[in-house]
Amino acid sequence: MGRYRVRMKIVENPSLLTYNTFGIDVKARRLVEVEDAAELCRIEEWEHPLLLGRGSDMVFTADYEGTVVRLAEECEGKVKECDGGLSVWGGMVLDELVEHNIAEGYYGLENLSGVPGTVGAGVVQNVGAYGVEIGDVVQRVEVYDRQQCDFHWLNREECRFGYRNSVFKQQGGRYVVVRVELRLGRKFEPCLRYRAVEALPRGTAAEWREALLALRWSKLPKPEEYGSAGSFFKNPVVGAAKYEELRSRFEAMPEGHRVDGIEVAYKISAAWLIDQAGWKGRKMGRVGVWPQQALVLYNAGHCVGSEVVALAAMIRHDVREKFGVELEPEAIII
Ligand SMILES: Cc1cc2nc3c(=O)[nH]c(=O)nc-3n(C[C@H](O)[C@H](O)[C@H](O)COP(=O)(O)OP(=O)(O)OC[C@H]3O[C@@H](n4cnc5c(N)ncnc54)[C@H](O)[C@@H]3O)c2cc1C
């Protein structure tokens, strides 16, 4: 007796308030939290399973009439050494991993300091910040494959990482990311690929992290102060003719980034379009557009999801009217 450990927590009708960074007060019918990946074999028995990490990329517009499934943030063997790097549990909070790595002398993820999600969702989204994407250091990923009902590993190439994209995202919900193996350096070199970080003080890795966190929170709302889902919109990609038209009509428009593809296209700044459409810093009732970063919609006080969606629709309308450009949400609307 006494040896058996409960490896799964089930809560009926839980509030999701603390499980989404927008701070939206909705409920789910049920929450299942697993500490042991083997429990995922039962996922199809649960009603309408929805995988949830920290809910930092989500906006709930209603109660969730199904089962929210989470990998517990704490479990045995959360971080383990493996050949040439670390093996990390998908439920671990990414920022905690960055802090852990710096303390233990594993380098490569410092520029992701402060991204509020989990490691598993980070791999799905190929999260990136200040010139570093998690996919840069991923060696292989262990998944529970809901189609084949088994566990297997995908190597780096099979993950098909792209800009905020991966095979896990493309295959929409087929894979649960369970563990991730990362190849990390043992010598600290600050990654200066992004212009805004070039001027930061470069002392130790811990000092670099502090400087990055200060830079991040000078532009974005801290989740504990104002709810948000980070960047709400994607930067739109427009064809070459449209790009030239915009550049000639709006001389101040920042240069776009050329995107490889069958036809020439350019990714342009959604933040600039929103700002020019007059929305930066504006509030509409209990939701607003963050004054320091127009891509971020925020909770100005106990908002509900439909208010976020309504604000997003007005912004999209005004950007469409002024520029003829369609903005798409980056955040997942549930
Ligand atoms: C203030 C703020 C700043 C942010 N800054 C950045 C930034 O700099 N860069 C950036 O890229 N993003 C940023 N984000 C967005 C967000 O943090 C990332 O998209 C993050 O990866 C989401 O992680 P999560 O655990 O919260 O995922 P959730 O929002 O819970 O889920 C996101 C998606 O992943 C799926 N999912 C969750 N866990 C798993 C799993 N284990 N396996 C398979 N699918 C899973 C969910 O079903 C959902 O489709 C920011 C968000 C906020 C609020």
Side-chain angles (χ1 to χ4, degrees), residues 51 53-58 116-118 121 127-128 164 175 177 216 230 332:
L51 271 160
R54 280 253 163 146
S56 62
D57 203 21
M58 287 201 182
T118 54
V127 284
R164 302 294 169 271
Y175 297 116
V177 174
R216 165 174 287 273
I332 302 160

Side-chain angles (χ1 to χ4, degrees), residues 19 21-22 50-58 69-71 90-92 94 111-130 164 168 173 175-178 216-217 220-223 226-231 296 330 332 334:
Y19 294 113
T21 55
F22 228 109
L50 170 71
L51 271 160
L52 186 68
R54 280 253 163 146
S56 62
D57 203 21
M58 287 201 182
V69 181
R70 300 188 74 229
L71 302 185
M92 185 172 185
L94 179 59
N111 289 23
L112 300 184
S113 290
V115 176
T118 54
V119 171
V123 167
V124 174
Q125 174 81 352
N126 189 17
V127 284
Y130 304 119
R164 302 294 169 271
F168 314 106
Y175 297 116
V176 183
V177 174
V178 172
R216 165 174 287 273
W217 302 126
L220 297 174
K222 278 188 171 175
Y226 289 98
S228 81
S231 300
V296 175
E330 167 92 64
I332 302 160
I334 304 280

Side-chain angles (χ1 to χ4, degrees), residues 38-85:
E39 304 289 355
L40 292 169
C41 296
R42 297 172 53 190
I43 194 165
E44 306 311 332
E45 293 168 21
W46 303 326
E47 198 187 358
H48 306 306
L50 170 71
L51 271 160
L52 186 68
R54 280 253 163 146
S56 62
D57 203 21
M58 287 201 182
V59 179
F60 286 97
T61 55
D63 287 345
Y64 187 68
E65 301 296 339
T67 306
V68 163
V69 181
R70 300 188 74 229
L71 302 185
E73 288 173 14
E74 297 300 326
C75 70
E76 264 176 46
K78 201 164 63 163
V79 186
K80 297 190 279 201
E81 288 192 359
C82 66
D83 189 25

Side-chain angles (χ1 to χ4, degrees), residues 230-247:
S231 300
F232 189 90
F233 295 105
K234 291 180 189 158
N235 285 321
V237 175
V238 296
K242 180 72 189 173
Y243 180 66
E244 291 311 328
E245 177 220 313
L246 290 168
R247 290 282 282 172

Side-chain angles (χ1 to χ4, degrees), residues 34-35 83 96 103-104 123 164 169 204 211 219 227 256:
V34 301
E35 257 182 64
D83 189 25
E96 190 195 333
E104 299 297 323
V123 167
R164 302 294 169 271
K169 192 165 176 180
T204 62
K219 304 264 188 267

